[in-house]
Amino acid sequence: MEGRTLVAFLEQARAQGVEVLFYQSSAVARRVDGRDGQPHYTDLIVRPHVAVRGEEEAQTARRIFDELPERCFPSSMLRLTPRIEPIIDTWDEQHAAALEENLRYDRHWRWREGGRAVGCVP
């Protein structure tokens, strides 16, 4: 289900012009044995973490995730609709460059309220 969520989201994001800069997800579910002895899953939650360029794209991404449970078709082992709990971040170019610089040179950036980089702390 996690893979199907990824594919369905990326298809819709591309169709709606959302530039996805980052995507990572996890999923949890509870496996139970049914009365017929066949296992199935309950309480399926997919938690994608996505970064896009700006707030407008973030709103579109949230709307896509809201609509995804109807688009993700469960297998015969899944007898429920997954709950999708996305985290949507916005990365402008300055933020993305600061993060890359931080990783490359092991520097720590100071951040302004609202998430903008203001300079490197030596």
Side-chain angles (χ1 to χ4, degrees), residues 1-18:
M1 189 55 65
E2 187 177 8
R4 178 64 186 132
T5 300
L6 166 66
V7 170
F9 173 75
L10 291 177
E11 287 172 353
Q12 288 299 308
R14 185 174 349 129
Q16 296 186 38
V18 174

Side-chain angles (χ1 to χ4, degrees), residues 10 16 21 24 50-51 54 58 63 67 69-70 73 77 81 83 85 88 99 102-104 107 120:
L10 291 177
Q16 296 186 38
L21 303 173
Q24 178 180 1
V50 176
R63 189 175 62 251
E67 297 168 358
E70 299 167 5
F73 305 109
M77 194 172 184
T81 301
R83 189 169 75 213
E85 299 177 346
I88 312 292
L99 290 174
N102 190 34
L103 292 173
R104 184 179 298 148
R107 293 182 180 167
C120 180

